[in-house]
Amino acid sequence: MDYVFSILILVGIYIVLAASFNLIIGRAGLASIAHPIFFALGAYTAALLAIHFGLNPVLATLAGAVVAAVFSLMISLPSLRISGDYLMITSIGFQLGLLQVIKNIEITGSQGGLSNIPTPIAGPERGAVFSIIALAAAAGTVLLIRWIVRGPYGRAINAMRDDELAFIALGRDATRIKIAIFAVGCGLAGVAGGIYAFYFQYLTPEQYEILASGTMLTMVVVGGMGSTWGPVVGALMLVALPQAITFLQLPPSYMAPVQGMIFTLLVILFLFLKPQGLVSPEPPAPLAHRRAGRV
Amino acid sequence: MFEPAVLAQILWTGLATSSHMVLFTIAFALVLKVVKLWNFAQAGMMAIAFYAMYAGVNQFGWPTLPSVGFGLALTLAATLALERFGFRVLRARRSSSLLFFIFTLVCSEFAAYALTLIFGTEPAPLFERILSPVRIVAGIAVSDWDLLALGVTIGLATALALYLRFSSDGRCLVAVSDNAELAELYGISAKRAYLIAFALASVLVCAGMYLYGTRTAVIPTAPLQLMIFAVIATLLGGMGSVLGAAIAAVTLSLLQSYSILIVPSKWQGMILYVFLFVTILFFPSGAHPMRLLRRFGLRRG
Amino acid sequence: MKVNRRVVLKAAVAGALSAGLPLRLWAQNRSNLKFGLAMPLTGSQSAYGKDQVTAAQWAVDEINAKGGVQGHKLEMIVLDTQADAQVGISTVNRLISVEKVPVFITAWSAVVKAVAPIANREKVLELSVGANSPEIASLGDYVFTTFPLADVDVNAVARYAHQSLGKKTAAVLYINNDTGVEAAKVYRDAFESVGGKVVAYEAYDPKATDYSGMLLKVRAANPEMVHIHGLITDLPQVIAQMRQLGLQQRVSTYSAGYNPNIIKQLGPAAEGLIVTSLAPGVGERPQVKEYVERWQKQENRVPNGLPYTQYLHDAPVMVARMYEWVLKNKLPITGENMRKALLGVRRFDLPLTGVVEVDATHRVKKPVNLMTVEKGKFVLLATVN
């Protein structure tokens, strides 16, 4: 039963990550792939506050989200001047650089990881309670993003993504929108981090390397970037597939690499067969002048 | 700490160990320049190159040269197949930069898993003994490996430069990298240029992995780490310039090596990222948003 | 016996269940006494992990051949950790919630540390056998080591370097993870406490394979002795690159270096290497001689990390004695009671490692053998108590 709960919790966390990532790269078109590091910032902040100051987990998680949002400025500010592949590589650099710091300072437990994070809930109901929290966070995130995207703010985001110059020429402020989106997206990743820290009680920097970026990107792209449910589908797939593969009952020394091979092959297959993603993009909200012809 | 003998040793060893990094960087930069692709699949190429050579030497018991040849052959086959069946298709569909990124990264991951399955994760150097003869020259320890590394790197880099400058194929590559559509109008096949670029990259990658693997032990996930350096050096060198990338690679390597005089060696890795960030902040050279966005199709998701 | 549907059904279900289950050494049996063994069966440390599992397996077989523990068979459930913290966590979770073991044995400091919260939370006894990070002594009520921590042998080798070898300055190079960080501090504190001076103190990334930066720093500092605290996978690399840079100092390390493979990989560069051994050698105990001979006969080689396998062989013996105590005192089989048993038995006289005394300090003390490489072979250099 614990096993089922940990799967549900992972699903919840992944949905939060995928949806928030989609907000940044899918909706706003900002090519940052450093999402894992914000997940890490949230997790480590929440964990350290709980360990050293005994802060209650909800506040600690919120603090983690705030820290992640603040750090997002380090990417959103440069993104104002550079974009495209340059931004992508810079974000990788930011992620790995910050990871190096985490790996080398003692307070984070460095390479060995941060252990013995206090848990608010003990006992047999632990799994169930955390599952509810994680899934609620997932639902909340998806609904929040849907609300942002469907409202007038959402139209601005779409316009900015589709043609930034025109957007600026029309007198809109791209800067503020970019910074805000980054902050919201990264803050949500921070929340996911806090939940992870308090359930699993152990953090290690290895989970946030460049492969984690690939994983999160996969969730978003394979799920479908242009829709609300795409990331949800992507997250579900990313948790379900590896678990399904474990049921193949391979001998242990082959299990991990074969699992990896099957998974990566499937991703490649999806990329070629369904490049739009599993969930088709939603049609944009209707606007009067759209019917007059293509913008 | 700052005696001339120590400084000189750092310079020599720093240069020698930068050799394979320079080769990886040149390979990456060349593909970026000609094919306009951030080839994260290069990590996979590097892994295949090493393990093929390793199999040749340790499992089939072949002498060195045939093993290297085998490694090169397999790398070429894998790379050219990737270009023909992978990149060409994605290019025709005008796939976004993110899609290419995921695809190349996942290809490298796949290669790493496949090689883990076949070879396991125990670190393995190319030859069992990783020591080569050392002599002290003017207070500096100079090993045979150092000399080989510098020789191979300078040789290959020079050969590439001459090739690009003076051979007709080389000039085609440059033409395609400047403006692929225009080059096509003049009868130069962009597709062929891409294949040649990948082939050259394979040679450089093979040589680099030979050097790397004769000095330290390799695990299937090592190439991905090595490649981050190549990526950053390429970016810092200016995205259209192979020479710039090579210079950046040597400079960064030396900076990393000399940094130990000031910081504990565990922070050496940070130098790379600090440099990247500082450079991006103050010199976002050549990053015109419109040109980049259109060219790499970031618009069309 | 009447063969009725119920029996057949039960057998079929048991068969189906056991088909997909982890490596099990005996068929499902209610009266088996279970314990877990979480070791790296795959991954870079698997050569050591697998040999350690083999040693434990031999002990379990021997115990069961002699009738088990008060008629019950001892059942060892082996799962893979890849010496990785994350994998270790899910493995131990499985051992506790699915297999319901009251006690499990594990090793590799990163894993021991990562699963400690689970052991403490679920009140399951965690026996760390082989990991030596001094932190292990303070990981919680349910975490005990049966293997001396770094503050025992690293302390010994540090003092020896200064007091017996006369080395006044030393460099400490260590792997930047749980194994290295704490042990490096132990070396530095010990070396300086007897009057030596540590002139270079450098960490290297566990994934690194190029140590030039760190070694150039050592070259600049010019120490008389170099202590390297890494895993068996990076140790020969560091020494090789050291020699390539013209650094000829004598090198010391801890028990992970006590491995004939190092001599094979380094050849003459291994001469003079000092390693520690925390288990009695073939000359000191006849059981050890028999044990090594058995390895030669069955596997045609010495086990990887011989002293560690000795401790892993004796760990099931300890578990068996603990079960005996619990059964004798008619207590239910729970983690809490196994812990009581550990402290209740307290003094274990074990076949391959001699006397081990466990107490509330969560530490164990043993004499340290210092070995060195002479003419391509390990020989005893000194014994420190």
Side-chain angles (χ1 to χ4, degrees):
Chain A
M1 209 44 209
D2 240 6
Y3 171 77
V4 172
F5 285 136
S6 63
I7 298 288
L8 284 176
I9 293 166
L10 269 180
V11 166
I13 291 177
Y14 276 18
I15 291 178
V16 174
L17 289 170
S20 55
F21 199 20
N22 188 28
L23 180 65
I24 297 174
I25 58 172
R27 298 297 193 167
L30 301 165
S32 151
I33 48 183
H35 218 55
I37 196 67
F38 298 104
F39 183 35
L41 281 167
Y44 274 100
T45 306
L48 288 171
L49 285 174
I51 293 178
H52 296 281
F53 298 108
L55 196 60
N56 100 51
V58 175
L59 286 179
T61 303
L62 279 172
V66 169
V67 168
V70 167
F71 268 84
S72 76
L73 286 171
M74 295 191 67
I75 298 196
S76 54
L77 289 177
S79 82
L80 302 175
R81 300 214 275 159
I82 60 177
S83 36
D85 291 335
Y86 236 61
L87 181 61
M88 192 167 79
I89 305 300
T90 306
S91 67
I92 296 179
F94 174 70
Q95 174 186 349
L96 297 177
L98 207 52
L99 213 55
Q100 276 278 29
V101 175
I102 292 178
K103 281 195 228 179
N104 283 317
I105 56 179
E106 269 207 57
I107 192 171
T108 56
S110 50
Q111 296 273 1
L114 195 58
S115 171
N116 268 328
I117 301 173
T119 178
I121 309 155
E125 330 84 47
R126 194 165 179 269
V129 173
F130 266 101
S131 303
I132 297 175
I133 296 176
L135 292 172
T141 304
V142 171
L143 291 171
L144 172 68
I145 292 178
R146 192 180 158 90
W147 176 76
I148 293 178
V149 158
R150 292 222 144 176
Y153 213 33
R155 285 199 285 269
I157 297 173
N158 279 344
M160 181 191 79
R161 181 194 67 207
D162 287 337
D163 199 324
E164 188 166 331
L165 262 195
F167 187 75
I168 297 175
L170 285 169
R172 297 303 299 271
D173 189 351
T175 312
R176 227 188 272 160
I177 293 187
K178 279 189 194 175
I179 294 182
I181 292 202
F182 251 116
V184 171
C186 295
L188 287 168
V191 170
I195 299 178
Y196 184 95
F198 287 113
Y199 181 69
F200 291 99
Q201 296 180 277
Y202 179 76
L203 301 173
T204 159
E206 315 221 319
Q207 306 163 273
Y208 311 106
E209 297 271 6
I210 195 168
L211 289 181
S213 302
T215 306
M216 292 192 199
L217 259 181
T218 303
M219 285 196 278
V220 172
V221 172
V222 171
M225 282 211 289
S227 70
T228 317
W229 300 106
V232 177
V233 171
L236 277 167
M237 197 199 74
L238 218 86
V239 178
L241 261 179
Q243 292 303 322
I245 298 175
T246 42
F247 284 109
L248 290 175
Q249 297 297 344
L250 301 155
S253 47
Y254 297 139
M255 176 73 99
V258 172
Q259 204 179 19
M261 282 170 71
I262 296 180
F263 185 74
T264 47
L265 270 177
L266 282 170
V267 172
I268 293 178
L269 221 70
F270 273 119
L271 288 179
F272 274 87
L273 295 177
K274 269 230 146 210
Q276 288 280 56
L278 286 167
V279 180
S280 326
E282 282 164 358
L287 287 172
H289 53 268
R290 268 208 124 99
R291 294 203 193 99
R294 298 182 63 205
V295 176
Chain B
M1 242 322 185
F2 290 84
E3 299 121 41
V6 172
L7 295 175
Q9 178 75 62
I10 296 178
L11 179 65
W12 174 257
T13 306
L15 278 174
T17 50
S18 75
S19 60
H20 39 77
M21 303 314 274
V22 170
L23 290 172
F24 298 140
T25 306
I26 294 180
F28 191 82
L30 183 65
V31 169
L32 178 63
K33 179 186 169 79
V34 178
V35 188
K36 303 284 182 279
L37 170 72
W38 292 86
N39 185 20
F40 282 86
Q42 183 173 311
M45 284 162 66
M46 287 158 67
I48 294 176
F50 174 77
Y51 279 101
M53 290 192 285
Y54 177 83
V57 169
N58 293 289
Q59 263 140 18
F60 305 137
W62 297 335
T64 312
L65 268 166
S67 298
V68 174
F70 178 61
L72 184 58
L74 274 186
T75 313
L76 271 168
T79 311
L80 296 177
L82 194 61
E83 155 63 17
R84 178 70 186 74
F85 299 111
F87 300 138
R88 202 177 282 185
V89 174
L90 291 179
R91 218 176 285 133
R93 286 196 203 159
R94 302 194 174 284
S95 301
S96 72
S97 177
L98 279 174
L99 208 84
F100 272 103
F101 174 72
I102 303 180
F103 178 63
T104 49
L105 189 64
V106 168
C107 282
S108 287
E109 277 187 75
F110 177 78
Y113 284 126
L115 292 167
T116 305
L117 185 65
I118 307 173
F119 295 97
T121 50
E122 203 150 327
L126 195 54
F127 303 115
E128 208 180 65
R129 289 280 173 87
I130 43 183
L131 290 155
S132 62
V134 182
R135 61 196 67 72
I136 309 285
V137 174
I140 307 177
V142 172
S143 75
D144 279 5
W145 185 89
D146 294 341
L147 296 168
L148 178 68
L150 286 170
V152 166
T153 306
I154 296 176
L156 283 175
T158 317
L160 181 68
L162 293 172
Y163 177 84
L164 286 176
R165 193 117 197 290
F166 295 115
S167 82
S168 60
D169 274 338
R171 283 189 286 205
C172 290
L173 285 187
V174 180
V176 168
S177 68
D178 278 339
N179 193 328
E181 286 109 15
L182 195 59
E184 290 268 357
L185 284 179
Y186 278 93
I188 299 177
S189 161
K191 289 201 185 99
R192 187 159 168 278
Y194 296 156
L195 287 171
I196 296 180
F198 277 116
L200 291 172
S202 302
V203 172
L204 294 165
V205 155
C206 223
M209 285 314 280
Y210 177 83
L211 290 175
Y212 186 74
T214 45
R215 187 166 181 273
T216 64
V218 176
I219 52 177
T221 48
L224 200 56
Q225 303 295 322
L226 293 172
M227 236 203 40
I228 305 287
F229 182 95
V231 173
I232 296 181
T234 300
L235 192 117
L236 293 178
M239 286 187 329
S241 167
V242 179
L243 178 62
I247 295 178
V250 178
T251 313
L252 280 174
S253 257
L254 285 176
L255 270 173
Q256 277 192 311
S257 300
Y258 276 106
S259 71
I260 55 121
L261 294 172
I262 323 175
V263 294
S265 59
K266 68 179 183 180
W267 291 109
Q268 266 187 316
M270 271 300 275
I271 307 285
L272 210 59
Y273 305 113
V274 172
F275 228 70
L276 174 66
F277 220 64
V278 165
T279 310
I280 295 293
L281 279 180
F282 296 112
F283 307 104
S285 38
H288 297 296
M290 288 314 297
R291 192 159 37 102
L292 277 173
L293 281 172
R294 235 187 284 119
R295 175 177 276 164
F296 298 108
L298 196 64
R299 298 308 180 70
R300 320 165 212 201
Chain C
M1 184 184 81
K2 267 210 321 212
V3 177
N4 56 21
R5 277 177 62 208
R6 238 201 212 161
V7 170
V8 174
L9 209 59
K10 261 198 206 167
V13 168
L17 278 178
S18 55
L21 289 168
L23 207 56
R24 227 166 243 273
L25 303 157
W26 294 95
Q28 186 88 350
N29 186 329
R30 268 186 65 217
S31 66
N32 279 2
L33 300 173
K34 298 203 263 190
F35 69 97
L37 181 62
M39 283 287 162
L41 302 174
T42 61
S44 64
Q45 306 293 312
S46 61
Y48 295 84
K50 287 200 274 208
D51 281 359
Q52 290 174 21
V53 171
T54 305
Q57 163 81 77
W58 288 356
V60 172
D61 290 344
E62 260 175 66
I63 293 173
N64 286 327
K66 295 201 188 115
V69 178
Q70 295 196 3
H72 299 268
K73 292 239 182 273
L74 200 59
E75 184 184 335
M76 181 167 79
I77 301 166
V78 184
L79 288 178
D80 186 14
T81 61
Q82 296 180 24
D84 175 82
Q86 288 292 90
V87 182
I89 289 180
S90 55
T91 299
V92 167
N93 270 325
R94 196 159 167 186
L95 281 172
I96 294 181
S97 47
V98 177
E99 306 292 340
K100 309 240 187 291
V101 298
V103 56
F104 67 92
I105 300 166
T106 189
W108 272 266
S109 301
V111 177
V112 171
K113 203 176 153 187
V115 303
I118 308 175
N120 289 321
R121 192 179 65 219
E122 305 289 334
K123 296 208 171 43
V124 170
L125 186 60
E126 172 182 351
L127 288 178
S128 166
V129 184
N132 70 353
S133 169
E135 258 189 277
I136 293 176
S138 41
L139 280 179
D141 277 344
Y142 278 85
V143 183
F144 282 85
T145 176
T146 67
F147 183 83
L149 303 175
D151 46 6
V152 175
D153 63 336
V154 173
N155 207 301
V157 77
R159 288 163 179 262
Y160 185 82
H162 184 84
Q163 292 170 323
S164 308
L165 294 178
K167 307 287 185 191
K168 300 198 200 50
T169 55
V172 182
L173 306 176
Y174 60 100
I175 187 169
N176 199 10
N177 70 14
D178 294 280
T179 306
V181 171
E182 298 297 325
K185 282 197 206 136
V186 171
Y187 189 96
R188 179 183 55 193
D189 294 341
F191 193 72
E192 290 188 339
S193 75
V194 288
K197 185 162 185 291
V198 170
V199 294
Y201 192 79
E202 296 291 312
Y204 60 88
D205 190 298
K207 293 216 206 85
T209 44
D210 181 11
Y211 310 103
S212 334
M214 171 180 83
L215 292 170
L216 285 169
K217 203 147 188 182
V218 171
R219 161 108 188 223
N222 205 14
E224 289 173 28
M225 184 89 199
V226 175
H227 178 79
I228 305 176
H229 207 99
L231 296 172
I232 194 55
T233 36
D234 32 77
L235 192 59
Q237 310 283 323
V238 180
I239 300 178
Q241 287 183 20
M242 239 183 91
R243 302 291 184 227
Q244 289 277 258
L245 277 173
L247 291 163
Q248 297 302 337
Q249 289 90 339
R250 197 153 183 192
V251 176
S252 71
T253 183
Y254 68 117
S255 39
Y258 186 18
N259 190 318
N261 277 331
I262 275 211
I263 305 180
K264 238 201 304 177
Q265 280 192 295
L266 291 172
E271 289 293 304
L273 175 67
I274 301 178
V275 303
T276 64
S277 172
L278 288 158
V282 274
E284 289 166 71
R285 251 179 119 85
Q287 296 98 320
V288 180
K289 187 160 182 284
E290 268 175 51
Y291 170 74
V292 174
E293 279 169 5
R294 185 175 172 184
W295 269 97
Q296 286 286 18
K297 227 192 328 178
Q298 280 192 230
E299 313 279 338
N300 244 325
R301 60 180 172 92
V302 226
N304 289 311
L306 171 61
Y308 294 103
T309 64
Q310 288 171 252
Y311 276 87
L312 258 303
H313 174 278
D314 286 349
V317 179
M318 283 180 77
V319 171
R321 307 248 175 98
M322 282 154 58
Y323 262 120
E324 230 178 86
W325 188 96
V326 169
L327 290 176
K328 229 186 277 179
N329 286 293
K330 299 211 180 10
L331 292 166
I333 297 177
T334 64
E336 231 178 302
N337 289 328
M338 290 304 272
R339 181 179 178 276
K340 284 205 191 114
L342 179 67
L343 294 171
V345 176
R346 201 197 154 91
R347 188 177 189 280
F348 296 80
D349 195 344
L350 301 166
L352 298 183
T353 50
V355 173
V356 168
E357 275 196 44
V358 182
D359 60 20
T361 64
H362 294 258
R363 286 174 195 285
V364 205
K365 261 197 86 75
K366 302 275 281 174
V368 180
N369 284 340
L370 294 175
M371 316 287 290
T372 189
V373 177
E374 223 172 79
K375 296 203 187 61
K377 280 188 165 307
F378 277 111
V379 298
L380 182 64
L381 183 61
T383 304
V384 178
N385 278 306

